[in-house]
Amino acid sequence: MSGSPSEIQRMKSSPRPIVVLDFGAQYSKLIARRVREANVFSLILPFNVPLDELRKANPAGIIFSGGPASVHAPGAPLPDPRVFDLGVPILGICYGVQVFAHMLGGKVERSAKREYGIAHIEHQDGEGLLRNVDASAQVWMSHGDAISMLPDGFAAIARTENCPYAAIANSTRRFYGVQFHPEVVHTPQGTQILANFVHGVCGCAADWSMGSFVDTAIADIRERVGNKRVICGLSGGVDSSVAAVLIHRAIGDNLTCVFVNNGLLRKGEPDMVRQVFQDNYHINLRCVDAEDRFLTALAGVSDPEDKRKRIGNLFIEVFEEEASKLGHMDFLAQGTLYPDVIESISATGGPSATIKSHHNVGGLPEHMNLELLEPLRELFKDEVRALGKELGMAGELIWRHPFPGPGLGVRCIGAVTKERLDTLREADAIFIDEIKKAGLYGAIWQALVCLLPVRSVGVQGDERTYEEVCSLRAVTSEDAMTADWFRFPPDVLQRVSNRICNEVKHINRVLYDVTSKPPGTIEWE
Ligand code: XMP
């Protein structure tokens, strides 16, 4: 990652960060979060980042993440060996500690027994990496290889029943390693171990917080944008909303937001956006009513990918048209988050199959010739919410469930018509209303209703009905990569079902979706 100007600026203006070298994306993200939870700024860089880039980041310490590879595998990910000569403390975790042994003259071998799950370390390290950690502490192990011989200058500082080198140290060079995973919740004192490294070994002060982020982010935006003009596609979702409020605070009227009503939005959404951003924040807002154009583009289309492509392409067309009416713009603001940035730079993530084509404002064509302004690109989702709170935004806006770009278009299974969308909007509003009344909204990652292209017979009053079927879906998730269906108290489902059948004209049957992800996805299309 070469680092955007704002990132490099941040590196200059903030205290030295902890750099997590990424040997396997899932692990590195969690480590970076834990470091931030210790109020120290962290950055993730790929394991093979050129040494100059690494120096430019000016790290106070480096963490080698875990990863799925074996150091003996052909093409195993290994860092530039000169990283050991930077004079910066290093902590190796799992695969990362094996990198030490492999590159500094020790030995790594396939263990007779793969160690996976909970183990207990024994140690007497009162001062260093394991300071304030119980003499016998639970840890989480997950490894097939293990160190069989330590490199020169290293000593074991903790062992488990199966692993004589569960934690190792070369305190002269300030190199430390743990075979277990301190970043996961199954290592209850892992936070203490990471804090010992970042505060104790690396000497980082606990001074990174959302308050300090707001100040530097505003200064960065002002410096970068100056008197130029910024256009921002506002969706009403958390990320673009927080980005807009932050940028507005930095540059005021030089920001113009564009909100496209594509007719595929939730009940009351256009009014809510107008009220919050125009009336409350006094942000320049252009609301475009493009409902008819989207409905025309979707007429007769029921294939999910075809829908997504049409919605995405038309969004770009409408956005461009609106932008051209606003005169010259210099920057396009986006609510890109750190996980998206890491996905795209991850050296070990590899290309994944396209399951669904996601449509975001990021798909805007290059000929618009706008520089990107992405003030959230260093933040995780929960940090964006904390930032929204810091900016005084209403909890209702900050804690909204995610909503896909193609909106109800991909929840109206089969044909997308105005009538079916109105039906779906009503059912969705009832579902969310009952979830909120039951106090469950915050416990659920995302709740949604799909209208199915199926009709069934029912009886209402004394009348036979033959109407549509809807399916409720509510999931818990950490990051939308995997998800489990939410266990509702039965009376909540009962209330939702009663209300939908009674209040929504064209639905007479309600189902609850009990599919996890995988094998299902969260959205149906
Ligand atoms: P799936 O259905 O792939 O969705 O399990 C994972 C998460 O992504 C959201 N989603 C989208 N978000 N543009 C978006 O910004 C899209 O095109 C899109 N499609 C799905 C989905 O709601 C869930 O939170």
Side-chain angles (χ1 to χ4, degrees), residues 311-332:
I311 296 169
N313 291 340
L314 186 53
F315 177 84
I316 291 169
E317 206 179 302
V318 173
F319 190 88
E320 270 198 275
E321 275 172 27
E322 204 55 32
S324 70
K325 292 181 200 156
L326 295 171
H328 180 74
M329 287 284 162
D330 304 277
F331 291 89
L332 173 69

Side-chain angles (χ1 to χ4, degrees), residues 19-41:
V19 165
V20 179
L21 278 198
D22 174 17
F23 293 91
Q26 293 303 326
Y27 304 89
S28 47
K29 263 188 252 180
L30 200 53
I31 298 166
R33 288 179 62 123
R34 295 284 177 259
V35 172
R36 291 187 188 188
E37 281 163 18
N39 299 108
V40 174
F41 187 61

Side-chain angles (χ1 to χ4, degrees), residues 268-287:
E269 186 90 11
D271 289 339
M272 186 280 283
V273 167
R274 206 172 279 127
Q275 193 246 317
V276 170
F277 295 95
Q278 206 160 41
D279 304 348
N280 190 11
Y281 281 106
H282 307 292
I283 292 178
N284 281 329
L285 177 69
R286 304 281 291 223
C287 294

Side-chain angles (χ1 to χ4, degrees), residues 510-522:
V510 177
L511 314 179
Y512 186 51
D513 181 348
V514 290
T515 318
S516 57
K517 173 182 179 176
T521 49
I522 294 177

Side-chain angles (χ1 to χ4, degrees), residues 60 137 213 219 251 320 326 337 464 496:
F213 178 88
I251 60 164
E320 270 198 275
L326 295 171
L337 304 193
R464 174 188 189 275
V496 175

Side-chain angles (χ1 to χ4, degrees), residues 308 356 358-360 402 404-406 445-446 480 517 521-523:
R308 281 178 171 271
K356 297 173 189 181
H358 278 205
H359 130 70
N360 287 322
W445 166 270
Q446 194 168 1
K517 173 182 179 176
T521 49
I522 294 177
E523 304 289 346

